[in-house]
Amino acid sequence: MSELIYEDEQIQTLEWWEHIRRRPGMYIGKTGSGNYADDGIYVLLKETLDNAVDEYMMGFGKSINITIDNGVVTVRDYGRGIPLGKVVDVSSKMNTGGKYDSKAFKKSVGLNGVGIKAVNALSSYMLVQSFRDGETKSVEYRRAHTEEDVPIMPTDQPNGTLVNFIPDEEIFDNYQYKDEFVELLLKNYVFLNSGLVINYNGKKFYSKNGLVDLLNEYMTSDSIYPIIHLSGTDIEIAITHANQYGEEYYSFVNGQFTTQGGTHLSAFKESVSRVIKEYFSKNLEYSDIRSGIVAAVAIKVEEPVFESQTKTKLGSKDMGPGGPTISKFIGDFIKKELDNYLHKTPDTADVLLKKILDSEKERKAIAGVTKLARERAKKAGLHNKKLRDCRLHYNDSKGEKLEETCIFITEGDSASGSITQSRDPNYQAVFSLRGKPLNTFGETKQIVYKNEEFNLLQAALDIEDGLEGLRYNKVIIATDADVDGMHIRLLIITFFLQFFPDLIKNNHVFILQTPLFRVRNKKETLYCYSEEERLDAIEKLGPNPEITRFKGLGEISPGEFKHFIGKDLRLDPVNMRKQDAVKEMLEFYMGKNTMERQSFIINNLVVEEDIAV
């Protein structure tokens, strides 16, 4: 065994930009190419926008202009502008910024002076220009190296800051900004900052009613009573209930969408449940009170502490130095304002109580079934042949769920076997269905416990009591790309939509894309996911390549499957939007209107010629 050398020359000191480029995950989470809302290119945009929105929150500048053209991002705000003598320092010196002093940025998102420097280090080009009181200062960078430092000069432009950057393709391979993810980010900004105008590529984003507009935008079921909207100093909440299962929350801190919640969301859920229970003076279960709830909470905290640089979970316990705890602050506000609201609007209180009692009635009706089902699931879990679990679920040092964890839901022994042999057993689990699952549309939750397949799936995911227990970050439906596979895919999605819609709304459900064709010659093998890719592969490989059409997952060998569920994993997210009209869509596609669907299929049938392989 060779001796490991550990001497002076092994100790390295990295430049600030070099550290960011070598370890981008520490600063922006994952990198990615723009196919998912949490990919790094959107974090770069967000870090830039946070500074502009902070100016608005402090009372400076009413609009922000954004353009994204062929991957080139430009953000112009009309705030105070960076102090001209510090433009270079703010954009290229770590731990430099104006937000350490809470007087200047009392309740800002970015406090550690890293954000815009991360944008600089991870961009192939960046320009920062400040306009301030008739003067301007700009500096240009190439991969964080100063290319041109322009001296201060006169300008007739209004105050504010302009940032222009191009994400580096060495970091973000073949990246592309998608409007759906950019617009989602911008909507949240305006919902949390009523009156702010954001102009993006010709579209205007604006909200008058704050979190009420947010719920109306994102709810996929109709509310059963008017949205309760309450606001005070440093807090705004919106609450309603819908005829759906699960709990749906949107939580924010200083304008930051905390997708993983944190101390503020926990306090909010506890306080809402307690106040409603005390108002009705009944022995109500918190789970019944929150069943079907749709709510949003936004608070402003001095010097917030997040559990990661991407700021998706709040860790702060206090509202700020010397201030009350977040739990007490939120609890006191909800105790006073929500209790007052319910006393003033008895009609809403009556509807709410009926919803709670209906949930209680259903829960008690299935109590016996639930107990037996839990025992079966627990017993089966010890020797669960349907679940081939992964080894790792949490980061032991922090107790956080690992982002890499996923579970493939597949059907049939051959497909399950191929994925099992190809997977990374540390992070990838496999759940095998037996044939086509039940169509659950129109069923009550009792069916989840009576049906062994769904009971075991629910137990494997650990979502019976909500998403807090979810054991995998991604739930991936992996079925054949034929008619039967599509049907199984639809049945699984229907199950989630019926009983666990928050699983989809929180972006945990995906469809695995596997290649339709393999095109190869003696030197090279190409896998193609579409007819267009097949034609391109034939042209690239030359005359008479061998072409294989994969008809099912079971036909793909474990050796080949490694290419499709490794670093080249292709996933299509399953999304829910208000305009999808989920209830009506499910009723049409999964209801008892067989003849109507048959007519639809006949009228929309497209016959394609067989592809010679």
Side-chain angles (χ1 to χ4, degrees), residues 70 112 118 124 163 180 207 218 223 232 247 256 302 334 369 391 410 438 441 476 519 536 550 584 613:
N70 291 323
N112 53 17
S124 58
V163 178
E180 61 184 295
S207 170
Y218 295 146
S223 57
E247 302 172 29
Q256 165 68 35
E302 282 193 48
I334 291 176
V369 178
R391 296 192 187 103
T410 189
L438 181 72
F441 176 71
I476 302 171
V519 182
D536 290 342
F550 295 119
E584 291 78 6
V613 292

Side-chain angles (χ1 to χ4, degrees), residues 405-420:
T405 55
C406 64
I407 183 169
F408 295 96
I409 302 174
T410 189
E411 185 273 328
D413 293 337
S414 57
S416 176
S418 291
I419 295 179
T420 299

